[in-house]
Amino acid sequence: MDQTPRILVVDDEQDLREILSFNLSGEGFDIESVDSAEEALKLSLEDFDLILLDVMMGGMSGYRMADIIRKERKLDIPIIFLTARGAENDLLTGFNVGGDDYISKPFSIKEVVVRLRAVLKRGDVVSKKDKQLSHKTLLLDTEKKTTTIDQKEIELTRKEFKILWLLMQNKGKYMTREEILEKVWTKDVVVTDRNVDVNITRLRKKIGEYGNSIKGKTGYGYCFQEY
């Protein structure tokens, strides 16, 4: 990225906030930290490049905060959850409310740095290539992160937007599920080929007739074809 990434740390453990702030600042990140989701929501969240968000806090949970960010604030800022919990249901909940990655406590600073850079780099790749992609009246704006059909905005999740961008960027070329997982999801996250299928099914419904352009072929994956 061209400028120092701004990271917001939201955690009610003071010692952990101080450790993350000190070490991540040393790695070149601009860090701000707060001790609750309630305090975080008072900030201009659009000014941050990523949020490190604790799941279990004394007041509002990290899941609830993420839900507000996605559904009420309509922000696509990347979110990485921090939690001592590691059950599969917790992982699924995190991704369902719009999380980009999930780090279980205790963790090493090196792991956090690697995950941060991976998520930030992935978002940066999307923003720098082709500011706009279009097919007839379907338009993707990669700066505003908006999708419109006949100039009417369509509400897509971050994953759906990235999948559609990826397929349209590679029109006529089949992308395997593995390729889509690698480019859209963070490495080491517990996801399967089924996650790709589910997101594409939802995406097709949301973009109406243009959903017919997303072709699936057994053994090959998915492709965006003009018609």
Side-chain angles (χ1 to χ4, degrees), residues 190-203:
V190 183
V191 289
T192 65
D193 290 356
R194 179 62 178 161
N195 291 80
V196 175
D197 297 335
V198 170
N199 276 272
I200 286 182
T201 297
R202 292 173 181 167
L203 174 59

Side-chain angles (χ1 to χ4, degrees), residues 104-211:
S104 296
K105 302 176 184 176
F107 48 73
S108 70
I109 292 298
K110 286 185 178 180
E111 178 186 7
V112 176
V113 170
V114 168
R115 297 293 185 94
L116 280 174
R117 288 178 174 160
V119 172
L120 289 169
K121 182 178 180 181
R122 192 171 65 245
D124 201 36
V125 168
V126 171
S127 66
K128 287 183 176 179
K129 285 186 179 178
D130 293 324
K131 293 181 179 180
Q132 289 189 338
L133 294 174
S134 64
H135 172 59
K136 295 185 178 180
T137 64
L138 171 63
L139 175 66
L140 272 69
D141 189 311
T142 58
E143 287 193 325
K144 297 178 181 178
K145 301 296 190 296
T146 57
T147 304
T148 57
I149 295 177
D150 295 320
Q151 300 183 332
K152 181 180 179 181
E153 186 168 348
I154 306 299
E155 294 290 341
L156 299 183
T157 66
R158 282 175 56 82
K159 295 293 188 295
E160 291 164 353
F161 181 89
K162 288 181 178 180
I163 290 172
L164 182 56
W165 171 86
L166 181 65
L167 295 178
M168 290 182 67
Q169 173 71 21
N170 294 276
K171 283 182 182 179
K173 175 185 175 183
Y174 275 94
M175 307 288 294
T176 67
R177 290 175 175 83
E178 291 76 14
E179 288 175 320
I180 296 173
L181 282 171
E182 180 181 353
K183 294 181 180 297
V184 175
W185 276 265
T186 303
K187 291 181 179 179
D188 301 326
V189 173
V190 183
V191 289
T192 65
D193 290 356
R194 179 62 178 161
N195 291 80
V196 175
D197 297 335
V198 170
N199 276 272
I200 286 182
T201 297
R202 292 173 181 167
L203 174 59
R204 280 172 168 157
K205 291 180 180 179
K206 290 183 178 182
I207 61 176
E209 64 176 301
Y210 290 107

Side-chain angles (χ1 to χ4, degrees), residues 50-51 53 62-71 75-81 90-102 119 122 156-160 162 184-186 199 202:
L50 187 145
I51 299 175
L53 180 57
Y63 291 148
R64 175 56 184 151
M65 177 179 165
D67 200 49
I68 290 173
I69 290 173
R70 297 290 187 246
K71 294 182 179 179
L75 297 176
D76 65 353
I77 176 174
I79 297 172
I80 297 180
F81 286 112
D90 296 322
L91 290 170
L92 294 175
T93 299
F95 293 127
N96 286 336
V97 296
D100 293 83
D101 204 351
Y102 201 107
V119 172
R122 192 171 65 245
L156 299 183
T157 66
R158 282 175 56 82
K159 295 293 188 295
E160 291 164 353
K162 288 181 178 180
V184 175
W185 276 265
T186 303
N199 276 272
R202 292 173 181 167

